[in-house]
Amino acid sequence: MPAHLLARLRDRLLRRPLPVWYSPSYRLPLSGVEASAGIEPRRADFVAWWLVESGVIDGGLLRTPLRIPYADLDRVHTPELLESLSHPEALASIFAVDPSDVPVDELLATVRLACGGTLAAAREALAGGGVTLNLLGGFHHAGPGSAGGFCPLNDVAVAIAAVRADGFEGQVAVLDLDAHPPDGIGACVENDAAVWVGSLSGSDWGPLPRVDETVLPEGTEDEPYLESLQALLGRMPEAGLAFVLAGGDVLAGDRFGRLGLTLAGARRRDLTVARALSGVPSVWLPAGGYTSESWRVLAGTALALASGSEVPIPEGADPLPARFAAVAAGLSPEDLGELDFDTADMEEALGLAPRGGRHRLLLGYYTASGLEHAFHRYGVLEQLRRLGFSGFRVAFDAGGTGERLRLFGTTDGVEHVLVEEILERRKFGGREVLYIHWLNLRNPRARFSDLRPRLPGQEVPGLGMAREMGEILGIMARRLGLAAVVFRPAHFHTAYSVRRPFAFVVPERQGRFEALVRDLARLPLLEATAAVADGRVWLGGSPYTWEADEMAVGWEWSEVAQRDEAIRHERERCSFEVR
């Protein structure tokens, strides 16, 4: 048996129960935060889905968090701070978004659920003497009367105060392995002599109260990082309860972190700490992470805790397609379309119905109610509800170059178009495909500002759901027996938002795109797409002009090895710079 299969078999045999706290509401209801800050808002979803799908944990080990009571928050935070969090301006400042993008109640619900998960995980760890994991938390920058850096409340300090109130008097160790110092935790536990806070970070914020802080040089890689970690662990006191902030922002290339770890190095970090805390009740938290790979760090943390595994997460693993495919498998034709066609239905499906007549079936298959049901099952309507919309309905009509699908939602008594697509069955590259002539995702509750400037082609800010819509369109094409979904992105940000699972059809174009994504990775998406549009990105001594070529998903590439080589060669040949 190959070595990697033996390793996976060993991991399964050694697997131990790992309680994991998760809620679908862990996704931040902020439509612009992914573009502005590089946060993957689906991180907790991806990890929960992947852990269950891969058999790392049994679905019964997923715990549902409850909102933390204000009585527990009062033990740590001032009334002034708690009151301020009811104002969208305060939350917008904490999460670096415009106030118009903040649904206050839903955002506070997410934060309070995360704090409740951390407290429940601490209580279960103490009760059973084991290891627990919360898929959102580690808000280490929030102090007693201050908040910032994506941290409105301090879940670790609140959990410590609550278990103290429960009667726990033992030593607490907080091991903060986020790329930034735990200034808020230090301030919150300043008067609790039985709390030790150790930190290994890549940013020097000066002396912090009650924190054993090690600041590493910028770009520190795996080996020197792990050496410093061993030294910090050597200073950690014996504890009756530990909190570990296993930050995902330690990866090389993270937008806000300054360290240089690999995914393998982050896994070794977690395994090293897990061994050092063997037998100690412990709560593990994800803290920060601002790259598309941050979910892999957190999933790797779970693997380290559940089985002590060093086996990497497969490179091609992508939880969203797997999740949506599972949902699609549970949607029958009866759920989506009309099976009892009459003559008029058949004429419409075949394109023989007269123009201006009824349009009951989209692409000759889907009913409006069927598509609304599908949007519900995929979680699209729930996320839109959390963004502040209700009263959803789907409508479509024919005309122009294709068939138009629109999803409407109501806010403040006014109905708005939230999703608009113009779709067509057509031939492309010798195959019949679902061609997207137009795709517009709209959040009319949000407004453009310095924090969220207007992107090329936008009338109103977007919904932050391009990936979901791309997956749904791919599933629609497969149901219709079409070879692929194809569209031509007019702007960098459009292609970037759907780069998983879409790819440019021409391999050299895909290679240039991957090089562009690589070389602009340090810029927020808003800045990157503006730089491309403004001609400030250069390639080979000349300003680079965006190439609006076709991208596809579901395409079965011929000569895959040759295509991959052509992509790699072009990616390595091209070097972009911003001037």
Side-chain angles (χ1 to χ4, degrees), residues 128-286:
V131 180
T132 60
L133 173 64
N134 186 13
L135 296 185
L136 183 63
F139 305 138
H140 58 166
H141 296 315
S146 62
F150 310 108
C151 302
L153 300 167
N154 198 306
D155 58 312
V156 174
V158 167
I160 292 171
V163 297
R164 293 288 194 224
D166 293 343
F168 176 72
E169 298 178 349
Q171 175 73 46
V172 176
V174 179
L175 195 60
D176 193 317
L177 304 179
D178 184 274
H180 304 94
D183 53 332
I185 294 178
C188 288
V189 302
E190 192 169 8
N191 296 320
D192 190 335
V195 177
W196 174 86
V197 182
S199 171
L200 199 59
S201 73
S203 298
D204 189 352
W205 291 1
L208 299 177
R210 298 288 312 284
V211 177
D212 183 340
E213 172 76 359
T214 301
V215 179
L216 298 172
E218 184 170 343
T220 296
E221 298 179 347
D222 294 352
E223 295 307 325
Y225 180 96
L226 293 169
E227 290 176 9
S228 297
L229 175 60
Q230 288 286 8
L232 181 63
L233 291 172
R235 301 193 296 272
M236 180 176 65
E238 292 187 12
L241 175 64
F243 294 84
V244 183
L245 280 65
D249 52 1
V250 296
L251 292 184
D254 187 275
R255 185 166 297 159
F256 298 121
R258 297 182 178 178
L259 299 172
L261 270 64
T262 64
L263 283 167
R267 182 79 64 85
R268 290 172 61 195
R269 173 199 69 180
D270 296 342
L271 290 167
T272 299
V273 174
R275 286 192 292 269
L277 291 175
S278 178
V280 177
S282 58
V283 180
W284 290 64
L285 303 162

Side-chain angles (χ1 to χ4, degrees), residues 9 112 139 164 186 257 403 453 465 487 544 557:
L9 177 60
R112 289 179 61 195
F139 305 138
R164 293 288 194 224
E403 302 175 50
M465 302 179 71
F487 87 120
Y544 174 71
W557 311 105

Side-chain angles (χ1 to χ4, degrees), residues 563-575:
R563 173 181 166 82
D564 289 346
E565 176 58 25
I567 292 172
R568 183 197 63 78
H569 181 268
E570 188 71 1
R571 182 177 63 241
E572 294 180 357
R573 184 189 71 83
C574 294
S575 179

Side-chain angles (χ1 to χ4, degrees), residues 22-29 41 44-45 65 67 106-114 136 382-383 385-386:
Y22 163 72
S23 167
S25 292
Y26 274 5
R27 177 171 177 170
L28 292 173
D45 296 328
R67 296 185 193 184
E106 287 297 331
L107 183 53
L108 278 180
T110 292
V111 174
R112 289 179 61 195
L113 281 172
L136 183 63
E382 174 59 17
Q383 182 63 9
R385 184 198 64 77
R386 300 192 71 220

